[in-house]
């Protein structure tokens, strides 16, 4: 799984025919060379659909599961961010007990060290060793650890892996928060019909529904619903499909939240005199807010595969921005030098020390509430920053 069969070091010499072509994946193979007393191992990086989130030392980290890998690898950037968030580790050492050499090159990778930490998948927890790779691009969960966590099974009975061992990790939600969508009961519910999607998009729609179910963002509706709304599939530039629930009729029954949104100009005026900036981006922001059972009914939507409804807050609900802003204002309450506008959080400081103190306080508060960040969109410790359509500088 996750690597080319003709490169696999763990298969037997007997080859079995495979029905159909393998799914397209970008493969980068990395081997370890036996040198200076280091053991020889093999590590494969497989870029495909094997990326899942695991809890490593108390911090959620996306990792690629690969049955061809004999080591767990953390890239340096993830390592630095996880340390800032207080990842709990054991037995850290800058000296490593093996060398990694990239495919088609004789130069060994630069290793920053190794450590041990507890890694969790669902209810399974194991103590594992991780290697930190400088300028690495991906985090890799190796064969042995994946099997210990029961997220990987290889063999003739691979089709018998039950739901417990392959149970996906739900998308995180902010701790202790359950939002209520205010609904005007005087408005008559509307059941709208199914809007047929282009046949070419049906597979993508099915895949998106499957992803949302695994994320615990939606749930199946097995009975009748007074509210039924169609969905409109939209293709993003990246080629990913977005399912947009057409909430125009349903929003007529949604009462607006009275919590005001901040005025951007006033927010940015509060950073006057700052010399250092950082920007944090909340990943899938609305989906981190769970909505109450009574609120879910108005989000019911119809597809070719039946009725579904949202368990998390979603785009399209007219009061969603105010609800999310209200929660984020509570999360950052009493933190100086921190401003929040929806899913963007700006941290500033008039000195390096003040900036670092405020940033650590913000990250610790996020950790306390279980807020997940989109690290690819976060910016740290810069003197010039684009934020909320404005450029900030010294």
């Amino acid at each position: 799984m996750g690597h080319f069969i003709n490169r696999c070091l763990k298969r037997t010499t007997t080859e079995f025919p495979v029905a159909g072509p393998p799914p397209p994946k970008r493969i980068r193979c990395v081997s370890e060379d036996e040198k200076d007393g280091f053991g020889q191992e093999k590590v494969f990086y497989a870029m495909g659909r094997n990326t899942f989130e695991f809890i490593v030392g108390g911090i959620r980290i996306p990792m690629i599961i690969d049955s061809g890998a004999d080591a767990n690898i953390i890239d340096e950037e993830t390592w630095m961010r996880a340390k800032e968030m207080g990842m709990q580790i054991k037995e850290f050492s800058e000296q490593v007990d093996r060398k990694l050499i990239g495919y088609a090159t004789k130069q060994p990778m630069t290793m920053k060290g190794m450590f041990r930490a507890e890694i969790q998948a669902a209810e399974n927890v194991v103590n594992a060793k991780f290697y930190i790779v400088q300028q690495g691009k991906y985090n890799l969960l190796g064969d042995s650890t994946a099997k210990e966590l029961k997220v990987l099974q290889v063999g003739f009975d691979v089709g018998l892996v039950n739901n417990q061992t392959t149970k996906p990790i739900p998308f995180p939600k902010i701790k202790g928060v359950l939002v209520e969508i205010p609904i005007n009961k005087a408005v008559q519910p509307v059941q709208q019909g199914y809007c047929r999607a282009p046949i070419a998009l049906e597979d993508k729609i099915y895949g998106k529904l499957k992803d949302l179910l695994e994320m615990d963002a939606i749930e199946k509706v097995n009975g009748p619903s007074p509210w039924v709304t169609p969905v409109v599939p939209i293709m993003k530039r990246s080629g990913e499909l977005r399912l947009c629930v057409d909430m125009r009729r349903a929003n007529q029954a949604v009462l607006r939240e009275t919590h005001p949104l901040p005025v951007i100009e006033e927010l940015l005026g509060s950073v006057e005199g700052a010399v250092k900036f950082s920007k944090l981006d909340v990943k899938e922001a609305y989906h981190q807010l769970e909505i109450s059972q009574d609120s879910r009914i108005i989000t019911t939507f119809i597809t070719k595969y039946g009725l579904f409804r949202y368990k998390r807050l979603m785009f399209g609900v007219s009061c969603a921005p105010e609800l999310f802003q209200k929660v984020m204002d509570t999360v950052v309450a009493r933190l100086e030098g921190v401003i929040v506008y929806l899913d963007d959080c700006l941290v500033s400081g008039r000195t390096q020390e003040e900036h670092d103190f405020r940033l650590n306080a913000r990250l610790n508060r996020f950790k306390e509430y279980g807020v997940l960040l989109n690290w690819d969109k976060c910016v740290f410790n810069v003197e010039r920053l684009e934020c909320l359509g404005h450029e900030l500088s010294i």
Side-chain angles (χ1 to χ4, degrees):
M1 184 182 80
H3 56 275
F4 288 135
I5 190 169
N6 64 344
R7 293 284 185 179
C8 182
L9 301 172
K10 297 191 173 184
R11 67 183 179 92
T12 62
T13 55
T14 304
E15 297 185 1
F16 295 89
V18 180
K25 292 185 178 181
R26 292 190 296 111
I27 304 290
R28 179 184 173 208
C29 176
V30 181
S31 64
E32 292 191 10
D33 192 18
E34 185 175 7
K35 183 179 180 181
D36 299 332
F38 290 98
Q40 182 177 1
E41 304 289 349
K42 298 292 180 180
V43 178
F44 292 81
Y45 285 87
M47 289 308 297
R49 300 179 181 178
N50 308 327
T51 302
F52 301 92
E53 281 190 340
F54 298 89
I55 300 177
V56 181
I59 305 298
R60 289 183 178 271
I61 295 179
M63 302 189 73
I64 299 168
I65 301 175
D66 196 326
S67 62
D70 294 292
N72 304 312
I73 291 178
I74 299 291
D75 67 73
E76 184 182 15
E77 185 177 3
T78 300
W79 162 248
M80 297 301 294
R81 290 171 176 171
K83 282 203 306 180
E84 292 176 350
M85 296 182 68
M87 184 169 68
Q88 301 173 4
I89 65 171
K90 305 174 183 178
E91 304 176 17
F92 173 79
S93 172
E94 293 183 355
Q95 300 296 323
V96 297
D97 55 9
R98 59 181 64 182
K99 287 187 177 181
L100 300 179
I101 297 179
Y103 179 69
T105 179
K106 296 182 179 180
Q107 296 300 320
M109 291 182 176
T110 303
M111 309 291 284
K112 301 296 291 185
M114 62 182 184
F115 66 91
R116 283 193 169 272
E118 287 190 345
I119 178 170
Q120 178 179 352
E123 70 278 7
N124 301 315
V125 181
V126 300
N127 187 285
K129 183 186 292 185
F130 297 84
Y131 296 87
I132 307 164
V133 177
Q134 183 176 346
Q135 296 180 346
K137 294 183 178 180
Y138 312 113
N139 304 312
L140 178 65
L141 185 69
D143 176 82
S144 176
T145 304
K147 288 177 179 175
E148 287 188 74
L149 288 171
K150 299 181 180 179
V151 296
L152 174 66
Q153 181 169 334
V154 179
F156 294 107
D157 59 346
V158 65
L160 302 179
V161 181
N162 58 36
N163 290 333
Q164 182 178 6
T165 60
T166 59
K167 183 179 179 181
I169 300 175
F171 194 73
K173 53 190 175 185
I174 297 178
K175 298 177 182 177
V177 176
L178 186 67
V179 298
E180 185 88 24
I181 298 176
I183 301 174
N184 185 353
K185 302 297 184 180
V187 176
Q188 184 70 25
V190 178
Q191 293 179 324
Q192 300 182 71
Y194 167 58
C195 291
R196 296 190 178 277
I199 296 177
L201 295 181
E202 285 296 347
D203 288 344
K204 288 184 176 291
I205 292 174
Y206 178 82
K208 188 64 176 180
L209 290 172
K210 184 174 180 292
D211 291 343
L212 291 171
L213 284 168
E214 291 179 349
M215 289 173 60
D216 197 39
I218 64 173
E219 61 187 0
K220 193 82 168 63
V221 177
N222 296 315
S225 173
W227 287 100
V228 178
T229 300
V231 292
V232 179
I234 303 295
M235 291 300 300
K236 299 162 65 173
R237 291 183 178 179
S238 62
E240 182 183 354
L241 181 81
R242 172 179 292 171
L243 283 182
C244 299
V245 181
D246 186 358
M247 290 287 294
R248 287 176 294 179
R249 294 293 297 274
N251 276 333
Q252 295 177 12
V254 175
L255 301 173
R256 297 302 296 263
E257 176 68 37
T258 56
H259 190 82
L261 291 176
V263 178
I264 295 178
E265 287 73 16
E266 292 180 1
L267 289 178
L268 298 180
S270 64
V271 303
E272 184 177 357
V275 298
K276 289 291 183 180
F277 305 97
S278 290
K279 183 176 71 172
L280 307 178
D281 183 87
V282 180
K283 185 175 183 179
E284 301 284 353
Y286 288 174
H287 283 356
Q288 293 195 46
L289 290 184
E290 184 178 10
I291 58 179
S292 67
Q293 285 283 348
D294 293 340
S295 300
R296 296 175 187 179
I297 193 170
I298 204 168
T299 69
T300 304
F301 60 94
I302 185 170
T303 73
K304 176 182 177 180
Y305 308 98
L307 297 178
F308 299 85
R309 67 182 186 183
Y310 271 86
K311 300 174 67 175
R312 310 290 183 94
L313 193 61
M314 55 180 249
F315 282 101
V317 178
S318 58
C319 65
E322 299 100 294
L323 289 173
F324 186 79
Q325 184 68 39
K326 185 177 181 179
V327 171
M328 293 304 295
D329 286 345
T330 301
V331 171
V332 302
R334 299 181 300 278
L335 289 181
E336 294 184 357
V338 177
I339 60 177
V340 171
Y341 187 86
L342 297 178
D343 59 346
D344 283 326
C345 177
L346 177 66
V347 180
S348 62
R350 291 181 293 271
T351 65
Q352 183 70 62
E353 292 74 19
E354 183 180 66
H355 165 272
D356 293 348
F357 176 82
R358 290 173 172 178
L359 178 61
N360 287 330
R362 187 70 184 97
L363 291 172
N364 288 333
R365 186 70 63 87
F366 271 172
K367 180 182 177 182
E368 176 185 347
Y369 278 87
V371 179
L372 180 67
L373 296 177
N374 186 350
W375 293 109
D376 291 337
K377 293 185 178 180
C378 293
V379 181
F380 293 97
N381 197 33
V382 296
E383 297 179 353
R384 184 182 299 272
L385 178 69
E386 289 187 6
C387 184
L388 302 175
H390 295 72
E391 184 177 282
L392 306 178
S393 59
I394 299 177

